[in-house]
Amino acid sequence: MSSPAEPAISTAQIDAALMRLPYEQWILMPTVAVHVQELGLPRESLTTVIRTGRRRGVLRTKKEPDLRLCSVMRVAEAPYRKVAASV
C-alpha cells in the first residue's frame, strides 16, 4: 500500500509560511493552517511546512496531554537552510 504524496510546494512558499507565524508565541495548529491557506497554499501542505520548519530548527511543537491540538512556535528570526558544504 502506498502512502499519499505530500503536495509539491516551493522553498520560497515554505519560507513565506514559516515567517508568517508569530515569533516566540505558541499558536494552535488550526491557526497555522489558516496562515498557510491565506498564502494560497493547499491545507494539505501544512504537514510539509511544519516538518520542514522543525528540521531547519525554525519551529518547535508541543502537545498538551489534556488537549487534542498541537501548538507551534517559531523560534528563529530567519528561515534557516543548510548551506552546501564546500569541497
Side-chain angles (χ1 to χ4, degrees), residues 12-47:
Q13 290 172 312
I14 292 172
D15 291 350
L18 292 172
M19 293 300 99
R20 189 169 182 116
L21 303 177
Y23 181 65
E24 293 188 342
Q25 294 178 15
W26 289 107
I27 59 172
L28 294 175
M29 199 65 78
T31 306
V32 179
V34 170
H35 286 292
V36 167
Q37 286 180 314
E38 286 175 351
L39 288 171
L41 299 174
R43 188 176 179 95
E44 296 79 28
S45 63
L46 175 64
T47 303

Side-chain angles (χ1 to χ4, degrees), residues 23-74:
Y23 181 65
E24 293 188 342
Q25 294 178 15
W26 289 107
I27 59 172
L28 294 175
M29 199 65 78
T31 306
V32 179
V34 170
H35 286 292
V36 167
Q37 286 180 314
E38 286 175 351
L39 288 171
L41 299 174
R43 188 176 179 95
E44 296 79 28
S45 63
L46 175 64
T47 303
T48 303
V49 171
I50 298 298
R51 285 181 182 165
T52 302
R54 287 187 56 164
R55 266 188 251 125
R56 291 183 189 172
V58 176
L59 296 181
R60 292 182 60 202
T61 58
K62 71 175 180 178
K63 183 172 181 175
E64 298 293 333
D66 54 336
L67 297 176
R68 291 185 170 186
L69 299 175
C70 291
S71 298
V72 176
M73 177 172 55
R74 181 167 59 99

